[in-house]
Amino acid sequence: LPVQSHYGRSVPSGGASGAKLRNPRESAKRTPAATAVCTIARYVLTLRRPKRQCKMQTQTTVVADAGSTKISWGVCRPNYAPEVVTTAGFNAVTARSEDFCKLYELCVEAVSELGLTALSVEEVHYYGAGCATAAINASVASALRCVFPQAQIYVGSDLEGAARALFGEGDGIACILGTGSNSCLWRGGIIEANVPPLGYILGDEGSGASLGRRLVRQALRGALGQRYRDELERDYGVTREETLQR
């Protein structure tokens, strides 16, 4: 089976994150996350494409690739180049009930930057970190529905979004390596097998959280050079006293 990472495709990073992409031939300038969002959007349009050409030209689909650090929001219309903007991130599993207002605000921000009319959006596909249970997914969908009241809304995990962008209806092993980490066996358009990542305390091996934890631990134990310890203390307040009080 082919093995690919969500960000494993060879895509130059010449384009600025969040820039609008109007030329279909400028895909080489997209960030890897933006490329993944555009790939999912095209796949969704292929599945949902209406039979009548007049409706196909007006269909608007929004796809969100949501991580803990950032969310890439893409809008795709037939016969138009995809456009992608980036906002702050959101993790649904660590969010409290009142925190879902933040997701609503991020969605409004993305709609504004994309120049969309919310009522014109027919479908929203949100693939997000922490979208692991039906209850969590329902809370995410409720926040999105406040912005897109007339749209069909689908909420899935960020791992599902990565696998769908990589393989569509094909087979393969998809991996995410970001703030957290995850992987799955993808067959015929569904996740067939997955080793639970267990979060940043028990798992998420190789992720930004895991590497950051190791760096801080070595700094506090004196295993790093003095120069690096001084920089961490100056820029991030990484001292034994400060860390233990957090």
Side-chain angles (χ1 to χ4, degrees):
L1 293 173
V3 180
Q4 285 184 282
S5 165
H6 186 178
Y7 302 111
R9 296 190 173 184
S10 178
V11 181
S13 57
S17 177
K20 292 189 175 182
L21 309 174
R22 301 192 179 276
N23 186 344
R25 297 182 180 179
E26 291 182 353
S27 59
K29 296 181 181 180
R30 297 179 189 142
T31 64
T35 300
V37 170
C38 294
T39 303
I40 298 172
R42 289 198 183 96
Y43 173 77
V44 169
L45 288 177
T46 300
L47 290 180
R48 307 274 186 179
R49 183 170 294 157
K51 295 181 179 179
R52 293 194 303 171
Q53 182 74 8
C54 60
K55 185 175 181 181
M56 183 183 72
Q57 292 177 341
T58 60
Q59 180 177 351
T60 301
T61 300
V62 171
V63 177
D65 174 25
S68 300
T69 303
K70 65 182 179 66
I71 304 177
S72 294
W73 303 85
V75 58
C76 194
R77 309 176 184 91
N79 303 325
Y80 290 87
E83 299 177 25
V84 179
V85 299
T86 301
T87 66
F90 184 81
N91 190 313
V93 78
T94 59
R96 297 166 298 181
S97 299
E98 57 270 25
D99 293 335
F100 281 87
C101 293
K102 171 75 178 302
L103 177 59
Y104 168 83
E105 294 169 357
L106 294 173
C107 189
V108 170
E109 177 186 342
V111 168
S112 176
E113 290 192 35
L114 289 167
L116 286 175
T117 301
L119 294 179
S120 69
V121 176
E122 297 183 15
E123 292 187 10
V124 177
H125 293 253
Y126 181 98
Y127 299 96
C131 294
T133 68
I136 292 174
N137 293 358
S139 297
V140 171
S142 295
L144 297 174
R145 195 166 289 112
C146 292
V147 183
F148 305 107
Q150 297 184 5
Q152 295 183 17
I153 296 176
Y154 174 80
V155 178
S157 68
D158 53 351
L159 184 59
E160 179 184 349
R164 196 175 298 284
L166 289 168
F167 305 115
E169 294 291 329
D171 302 337
I173 296 174
C175 304
I176 291 177
L177 199 60
T179 307
S181 64
N182 207 346
S183 61
C184 73
L185 173 62
W186 179 263
R187 286 191 188 277
I190 62 171
I191 294 176
E192 185 172 287
N194 165 244
V195 177
L198 300 180
Y200 66 92
I201 295 178
L202 296 177
D204 280 354
E205 292 82 0
S207 67
S210 174
L211 296 176
R213 184 173 60 248
R214 292 174 60 185
L215 177 66
V216 171
R217 183 169 59 236
Q218 291 195 23
L220 297 180
R221 289 177 174 173
L224 284 182
Q226 187 63 47
R227 170 192 168 188
Y228 301 111
R229 295 203 303 271
D230 291 343
E231 290 180 354
L232 286 170
E233 180 177 351
R234 181 186 70 241
D235 296 339
Y236 302 104
V238 178
T239 64
R240 193 170 306 167
E241 294 75 14
E242 286 286 335
T243 303
L244 293 176
Q245 290 175 5
R246 291 180 181 178

